[in-house]
Amino acid sequence: MYIEWTETAAGKIAGKVQGQEGYLQLKYDTDGCGCVVSGVTALWWVNEPEEGTEKVETNGIPLYVEKSKMIFLDEVMKIDFVPEANSFQLKSPNQILNPRMSFFKKI
């Protein structure tokens, strides 16, 4: 799996974490979605990567993804930031996986 950060998204993340120690995790959250195949992606800033996550290849900011949820994601993706929506966007060459992806500080 490879995830590309756009310059805009990388800058926005840097501003949100402001040098604070932690790890960025792409969370496939299924809470309240009805079933495990219906999930919503979000970016979580955590103290340490959760058990069962794997560091994925990126063009900059290190990112961890739950191994068991990788099946729901594309092999190549991009994270961008859309100022008009004030949110991140997760997309691939095939689809937009989440047009309004949230960021949560879990520290």
Side-chain angles (χ1 to χ4, degrees):
M1 179 176 289
Y2 177 78
I3 299 178
E4 177 186 343
W5 289 92
T6 65
E7 190 175 317
T8 305
K12 196 66 172 178
I13 285 292
K16 286 185 176 290
V17 300
Q18 300 175 347
Q20 181 182 23
E21 293 212 15
Y23 297 88
L24 197 58
Q25 183 174 325
L26 179 65
K27 181 73 172 173
Y28 188 83
D29 193 3
T30 57
D31 287 346
C33 292
C35 83
V36 74
V37 296
S38 297
V40 177
T41 53
L43 293 169
W44 285 16
W45 187 248
V46 296
N47 285 321
E48 54 185 69
E50 292 179 350
E51 188 175 323
T53 61
E54 182 176 296
K55 188 175 181 180
V56 296
E57 187 178 345
T58 72
N59 65 330
I61 300 170
L63 188 64
Y64 292 80
V65 178
E66 297 167 279
K67 288 186 224 176
S68 64
K69 302 298 192 303
M70 287 182 172
I71 192 168
F72 302 116
L73 304 171
D74 290 344
E75 192 59 33
V76 176
M77 294 179 292
K78 181 183 289 191
I79 297 176
D80 196 3
F81 185 81
V82 182
E84 299 81 20
N86 194 32
S87 63
F88 292 92
Q89 186 177 78
L90 180 63
K91 54 190 171 183
S92 76
N94 301 320
Q95 63 182 321
I96 295 178
L97 291 109
N98 189 345
R100 292 182 180 261
M101 187 166 62
S102 299
F103 171 85
F104 299 100
K105 269 191 175 178
K106 298 289 187 169
I107 294 178

